[in-house]
Amino acid sequence: MELISLLFVFIMLFFIGMRLLQTGMKFYAESKLTNWISTSTNHLLGSIMIGTIATAILQSSSVVLIITISMVTVGILTFRQTIGIILGANIGTTITGELLTLGDIFPFHISLFAGIIFVFINQKNIFYIGCILLGLGNIFIAMDGFQSLMPLINDSFSLKYAFSSAQTYPEMGLLIGVIISAVIQSSSATFALTASLLHENIITLTTSIAIMLGSNIGTCVTTLVASIRTSKQAKLVAITHTIFNIFTVLIVVPFLSLVTYIGGQLATNSVNQLAHTAVLFNIFSVIIVIPFIPFLEKKIISKSQKI
């Protein structure tokens, strides 16, 4: 019971940090992002770039895709214009993982202290800088919290059994990633938990990659829920996001040992290996999907017209 309570506390602290970071970043970029998304999506590569940048700034692919669904619903964007954004969002969300690898060198106590002071200053620019600093401080404190819980997780029979099963059967790791990401509605938080498990050697790099792949599928739940009671084209955005993520994960799973080997060559630190592998996987996913886009687009649209 102590483990569950503390786990929820640190997850909430992580989410508060993410929301503060989003709030600060949106203040400096929101007006530009809306214009970029609406004017730079006529070309596939341009829309992929916009999806990547927007997600990196807002630190959430779900937020970017929900904004995209809203813009489709009111007719600012068409379904065709969103395909690149969907692909770019998958790349942009890996920036959070790369950010978390800075935990050992980022002065988060100073960031937290400065953030607390700045948010009480009655000046917009300083206030939102305070939100960014406070958000980063909370995120890294939550990461420390996750790592402090690892001995308790290791002592839990049910969790130990689940993770040991995932070591033997990668499909189990995939399922764990899907469930955790779907339940807590965040692939970034799932990555943070997975990175902590990997850092403490509770799971292997192979298992952590399997969980990361599963979280790519689980995070689709957020956009599917957001698309309820929206226009047909808006629903297509959520469906396409789900199809792309499932399709690319299923392609990579049979080659998990090869992906693990490649990931092991990317860095010496295990958490960095996982973060870099996530970036590599999502870039590879975009590259491998691009040739199939006209076919998938045609199939998805024709299916939707029959609904």
Side-chain angles (χ1 to χ4, degrees):
M1 202 64 184
E2 178 190 4
L3 172 61
I4 295 172
S5 299
L6 288 172
L7 188 59
F8 274 110
V9 167
F10 292 128
I11 288 173
M12 286 304 299
L13 190 60
F14 185 89
F15 279 138
I16 290 169
M18 288 291 287
R19 183 51 60 92
L20 284 167
L21 185 58
Q22 288 169 12
T23 300
M25 296 298 282
K26 280 176 74 176
F27 171 75
Y28 291 103
E30 187 172 33
S31 59
K32 291 181 181 178
L33 282 176
T34 304
N35 290 331
W36 287 345
I37 290 173
S38 59
T39 59
S40 304
T41 52
N42 292 323
H43 301 287
L44 182 63
L45 291 179
S47 58
I48 290 173
M49 188 65 70
I50 289 300
T52 302
I53 294 170
T55 306
I57 291 173
L58 298 180
Q59 291 292 296
S60 173
S61 59
S62 296
V63 169
V64 171
L65 290 172
I66 288 169
I67 291 171
T68 304
I69 287 170
S70 302
M71 293 176 78
V72 172
T73 302
V74 298
I76 297 174
L77 294 176
T78 65
F79 165 68
R80 282 186 171 87
Q81 290 176 299
T82 67
I83 293 175
I85 297 174
I86 293 167
L87 296 176
N90 281 356
I91 297 174
T93 195
T94 61
I95 301 300
T96 306
E98 292 291 344
L99 180 67
L100 294 177
T101 64
L102 302 176
D104 292 335
I105 60 173
F106 185 80
F108 60 86
H109 291 102
I110 297 173
S111 172
L112 194 67
F113 181 71
I116 291 170
I117 293 173
F118 284 8
V119 294
F120 284 104
I121 295 175
N122 190 24
Q123 212 282 335
K124 267 190 176 182
N125 286 320
I126 296 176
F127 172 81
Y128 285 108
I129 289 172
C131 287
I132 293 170
L133 292 174
L134 195 56
L136 287 170
N138 276 329
I139 287 168
F140 286 117
I141 286 174
M143 279 291 292
D144 265 10
F146 289 145
Q147 289 179 14
S148 72
L149 293 180
M150 293 306 114
L152 291 175
I153 289 176
N154 207 23
D155 291 339
S156 170
F157 175 77
S158 56
L159 290 175
K160 196 170 184 178
Y161 176 76
F163 290 127
S164 63
S165 298
Q167 310 278 48
T168 309
Y169 305 102
E171 297 81 5
M172 185 69 176
L174 199 69
L175 182 61
I176 290 171
V178 172
I179 292 170
I180 294 175
S181 189
V183 169
I184 65 179
Q185 298 280 288
S186 172
S187 58
S188 297
T190 305
F191 182 93
L193 281 167
T194 307
S196 298
L197 290 164
L198 179 61
H199 183 267
E200 298 299 320
N201 296 315
I202 294 174
I203 58 175
T204 62
L205 180 60
T206 302
T207 305
S208 66
I209 291 172
I211 294 172
M212 178 270 292
L213 292 174
S215 72
N216 273 30
I217 298 174
T219 194
C220 297
V221 172
T222 308
T223 49
L224 288 170
V225 171
S227 70
I228 295 172
R229 294 186 179 180
T230 58
S231 68
K232 186 180 288 185
Q233 288 223 332
K235 286 184 173 69
L236 285 181
V237 176
I239 293 168
T240 304
H241 178 229
T242 305
I243 290 171
F244 280 160
N245 283 17
I246 292 174
F247 176 68
T248 51
V249 167
L250 291 179
I251 286 174
V252 169
V253 166
F255 305 100
L256 196 55
S257 57
L258 175 61
V259 174
T260 303
Y261 172 77
I262 294 170
Q265 306 307 306
L266 298 175
T268 53
N269 180 280
S270 59
V271 175
N272 289 0
Q273 290 171 351
L274 178 61
H276 299 343
T277 303
V279 175
L280 201 64
F281 163 72
N282 282 287
I283 292 174
F284 169 77
S285 298
V286 170
I287 293 170
I288 203 169
V289 160
I290 285 176
F292 296 97
I293 285 177
F295 171 76
L296 289 172
E297 182 186 349
K298 185 179 177 181
K299 284 289 182 184
I300 292 168
I301 291 175
S302 64
K303 287 282 185 185
S304 71
Q305 288 170 347
K306 295 176 184 178
I307 298 174

